[in-house]
Amino acid sequence: GAGWWVLRDAPTNTDTEPAMIRTMLVLALLACGGELLAAPPTIEGVAPGVGQRGTAFTLTVTGARLNDPQELMLYAPGVTCTKLTASGENAVTATLTAAPDCPLGEYAFRLRTAGGASEVRTFRVSPFPVAVEAEPNDARERAQPVPPNTSVAGVVEAGDVDHFAVALKKGQRLAAEVEGVRMGGELNDTAVTVFGPDGKELAAADDTPLFRQDAFV
């Protein structure tokens, strides 16, 4: 355990003067126990990585040395963490509440455990309800139906193709946007293609001037 040691000069042995302490040095000795020498946590993934403004939502943080979570350190107002639950050393579920008037967009955080604080990771707050991607949706005939004004949380692997079906009325406008690189993950180079009901390609985008590899149409 930790302890304090006091080092001082030996008293002078004289018959006429009391012993005088001339020097005192206090050393704080750190214990070599595992807890004090534990490495800080590291985060490898955040899922789904997005929540809706004005609601409570959960994020699953995965990585290493995540046991004994103490705090989700947030750096901007509007979103608060109300609960942290560890599932062993490799996963923590965080329950968050986004205020109805909180700013939209990116929020940075660190996870603090008994071993220290993690690197900075991010999640996003959307104005729309969040739908989780449902596989298989790798072909147009297996496209996942989603209503307009929806944020879809999913994973795009290397070479992966995901399809989503949106029902529109004549004259309605469609906007589709990928948020991948902006979430701080791997540098995926995504592309977006829009097909009509007959399968004809209507629009396509790869790199864009505004968001680079995060394509939008």
Side-chain angles (χ1 to χ4, degrees):
W4 294 91
W5 280 18
V6 179
L7 305 182
R8 64 185 183 186
D9 288 346
T12 303
N13 293 324
T14 65
D15 296 333
T16 57
E17 295 182 358
M20 302 295 294
I21 300 176
R22 295 192 297 271
T23 306
M24 180 178 289
L25 176 64
V26 180
L27 299 179
L29 301 181
L30 295 180
C32 294
E35 290 186 359
L36 290 180
L37 297 180
T42 182
I43 297 176
E44 298 174 0
V46 182
V50 61
Q52 184 183 8
R53 179 165 62 179
T55 69
F57 58 93
T58 60
L59 300 177
T60 299
V61 179
T62 56
R65 300 180 296 278
L66 303 183
N67 52 310
D68 197 11
Q70 305 288 315
E71 178 188 8
L72 196 72
M73 303 165 62
L74 296 161
Y75 296 92
V79 179
T80 58
C81 179
T82 59
K83 186 178 181 181
L84 288 173
T85 304
S87 301
E89 297 186 358
N90 303 116
V92 169
T93 299
T95 301
L96 305 175
T97 299
D101 58 349
C102 75
L104 300 173
E106 184 178 70
Y107 284 77
F109 73 93
R110 296 178 190 262
L111 178 66
R112 183 175 65 84
T113 70
S118 72
E119 64 271 66
V120 174
R121 296 297 187 188
T122 63
F123 64 89
R124 303 187 77 82
V125 172
S126 168
F128 306 124
V130 177
V132 178
E133 177 194 2
E135 295 281 3
N137 61 352
D138 55 348
R140 193 163 60 88
E141 57 272 14
R142 291 194 292 270
Q144 177 182 346
V146 294
N149 298 327
T150 298
S151 292
V152 180
V155 176
V156 179
E157 302 286 354
D160 189 15
V161 178
D162 295 325
H163 292 78
F164 302 93
V166 182
L168 299 174
K169 296 179 180 179
K170 184 177 180 179
Q172 281 188 301
R173 186 179 181 89
L174 174 69
E177 177 183 332
V178 176
E179 295 189 37
V181 174
R182 285 172 287 170
M183 296 184 71
E186 296 182 2
L187 298 180
N188 292 331
D189 187 2
T190 57
V192 174
T193 306
V194 179
F195 299 93
D198 57 359
K200 180 181 178 181
E201 181 179 316
L202 302 179
D206 189 351
D207 295 345
T208 56
L210 182 60
F211 297 135
R212 303 290 182 172
Q213 290 93 344
D214 283 351
F216 71 91
V217 295

